[in-house]
Every structure is written in C-alpha cells, then in structure tokens.
C-alpha cells in the first residue's frame, strides 16, 4: 500500500475527539477540495506491506486502542485496505475510516466505524458523495459536513433532513472549514465559517447534528503535520 505517514496523536474530530489514536494516512486522493489541508498526501509516500503497517501500529500502540485510517482518500486502495482493516479489528483495535464516500463502502468490515465526509458545494467537490453509500451506513457510523458558507450549511441541513440521517448513524457532525494556509495562532479566526455563527444557525434550526471543531488545530500550530 502507498502510505504517507503513520503517527500517534489525539483524535481531533468526530465523537472520538480527544482520545489517543494512531493515524494511518494513505497516499492519493481523487478529489481537490479547495480548503484541503492534506495536499501533501496527493503524491509521494512509500510502499508498505500490510505486515509492516501492522507492526508500526503495534509499536505505537501495543495494547490496542484507536486506529484511524485516513488520507487522502483511503478507499482508492480498497483491495488491500479492506483486509488490513479486518486484521486490525482481529487484533483488538477500534478502527475508524475517514472517507469522502465517493467510492463504494459496502465492502468495509462491519466493525469499522465509517466517518463519512459528505462534500458540500463550496468545497468545489459537491455532488461527489456516492448516494448508494447511504445503505452501507450503520448506527455506529458518523457523517460529517465541513462547512465554509451559508450555502454549505443549507445544503447540509437539507441533506440531513431529506435522508433522515440522524436516525441512520451514531452522529451527524457540522464542522467549520479551516483556512488551509493557517499558521501560528491557534484560534477560531482561522475558520472559514465563524463557529459562533454556525452555532447560532444550528440552535435556531434545531438541527439534529453536533458542532465539531478540529481539536488538533487548537492544540498545535495549524500548519503542523503529523499531529
Ligand atoms: S477528500 Fe480530503 S484529502 Fe481529498 S482533497 Fe478533499 S479534504 Fe483533501
């Protein structure tokens, strides 16, 4: 598999935010979100076998715990990734899969928690979610919308309502997009959509979703990789 990095940090998003987590970041993405903070995953990386990846995860977290498979878009390497995720589960890890949902998800092992980042219009990659994936979602999964405008918020709210999303999954997450060139100060001024504004919209509309901030952007320098 082509891997950009494997490292241990705190989970920054989802209902698992704040927990120690090993991140396995796969190389390559077929989308180009305008605010993407992971462009360094588009190319390069190094080839690693499943055994090498498992050994590195075990070195970083020998007694189990949380492992997030992320990218890039990890499902572009589905053929090797699906058995790897199953091996991690069999070894007692809790596995999260962060994906845009543009690729089919029906082959993902059931025990894996899918965190599906449905792209909103102002990401520049709206309409890329593979709608059949709604049927692959389970009550352990989470669906995230990264928002940079009112138009994104309206899209997300309508999507949640139309597909009755809150009843399908463990959590629906609305998260302000972060400025990709942000550096230095760890504050919400770097958000493309003011979290206070988003909170007020969500309260007014009683949206069945939770507001999520990218915790790691407020702990470390937003420009730092591998955290
Ligand atoms: S899907 Fe993720 S990695 Fe790919 S361009 Fe969008 S934000 Fe970046």
């Amino acid at each position: 598999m082509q891997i950009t990095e494997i490292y241990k940090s705190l989970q920054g998003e989802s209902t698992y935010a704040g927990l120690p987590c090993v991140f396995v970041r796969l190389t390559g993405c077929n989308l180009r979100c305008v605010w993407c903070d992971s462009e360094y995953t588009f190319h390069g990386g190094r080839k690693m076998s499943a055994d090498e990846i498992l050994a590195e995860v075990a070195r970083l977290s020998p007694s189990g715990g949380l492992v997030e498979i992320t990218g890039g878009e990890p499902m572009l390497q589905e053929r090797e990734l699906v058995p790897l995720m199953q091996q991690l589960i069999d070894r007692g890890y809790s596995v999260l899969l962060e994906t845009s949902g543009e690729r089919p998800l029906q082959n993902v092992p059931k025990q894996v928690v899918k965190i599906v980042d449905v792209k909103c219009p102002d990401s520049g990659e709206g309409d890329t979610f593979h709608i059949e994936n709604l049927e692959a979602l389970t009550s352990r999964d989470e669906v995230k919308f990264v928002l940079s405008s009112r138009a994104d918020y309206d899209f997300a709210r309508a999507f949640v309502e139309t597909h009755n999303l809150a009843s399908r999954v463990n959590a629906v997450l609305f998260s302000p997009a972060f400025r990709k060139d942000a550096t230095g100060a760890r504050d919400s001024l770097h958000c493309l959509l003011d979290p206070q504004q988003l909170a007020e919209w969500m309260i007014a509309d009683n949206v069945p979703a939770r507001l999520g901030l990218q915790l790691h952007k407020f702990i470390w320098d937003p420009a730092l990789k591998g955290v």
Side-chain angles (χ1 to χ4, degrees), residues 3 15 27 38 74 77 79 94 99 101-102 116 123 138 140 147 151 156 169 174-175 203 213 217:
I3 303 292
T15 62
T27 306
S38 307
Q77 301 186 59
R79 191 171 53 82
S94 301
T99 174
E102 189 273 342
V116 183
S123 70
T138 74
R140 69 174 74 222
L147 312 172
V169 293
F174 281 14
S175 183
I203 294 164
L213 297 174
K217 308 275 193 191

Side-chain angles (χ1 to χ4, degrees), residues 34-51:
V34 292
W35 35 251
C36 177
D37 62 357
S38 307
E39 291 171 323
Y40 65 104
T41 67
F42 292 169
H43 308 287
R46 65 183 174 117
K47 280 224 173 309
M48 292 179 76
S49 67
D51 285 345

Side-chain angles (χ1 to χ4, degrees), residues 23-91:
F23 293 83
V24 180
R25 191 179 293 284
L26 277 63
T27 306
C29 190
N30 52 344
L31 304 188
R32 291 294 180 266
C33 304
V34 292
W35 35 251
C36 177
D37 62 357
S38 307
E39 291 171 323
Y40 65 104
T41 67
F42 292 169
H43 308 287
R46 65 183 174 117
K47 280 224 173 309
M48 292 179 76
S49 67
D51 285 345
E52 287 171 324
I53 296 167
L54 291 166
E56 182 60 4
V57 171
R59 187 184 71 79
L60 292 167
S61 190
S63 51
L66 208 54
V67 176
E68 176 167 298
I69 308 292
T70 185
E73 172 48 60
M75 287 304 284
L76 294 177
Q77 301 186 59
E78 175 181 357
R79 191 171 53 82
E80 294 158 294
L81 179 59
V82 166
L84 174 71
M85 290 192 289
Q86 189 60 57
Q87 282 179 283
L88 286 164
I89 295 282
D90 293 346
R91 290 172 190 218

Side-chain angles (χ1 to χ4, degrees), residues 99-146:
T99 174
S100 72
E102 189 273 342
R103 304 273 96 194
L105 297 174
Q106 73 265 20
N107 295 332
V108 175
K110 289 203 178 3
Q111 304 94 323
V112 171
V113 175
K114 299 185 284 294
I115 299 176
V116 183
D117 182 354
V118 175
K119 299 303 177 188
C120 297
D122 286 349
S123 70
E125 293 289 4
D127 283 332
T128 52
F129 177 71
H130 185 65
I131 202 72
E132 287 79 7
N133 278 336
L134 284 175
E135 301 310 318
L137 295 175
T138 74
S139 58
R140 69 174 74 222
D141 295 333
E142 306 191 3
V143 177
K144 179 174 72 168
F145 298 86
V146 178

Side-chain angles (χ1 to χ4, degrees), residues 172-194:
V172 177
L173 310 155
F174 281 14
S175 183
F178 219 78
R179 214 173 284 283
K180 69 176 177 183
D181 56 358
T183 179
R186 297 163 286 164
D187 65 48
S188 62
L189 290 175
H190 293 309
C191 292
L192 293 172
L193 175 61
D194 181 359

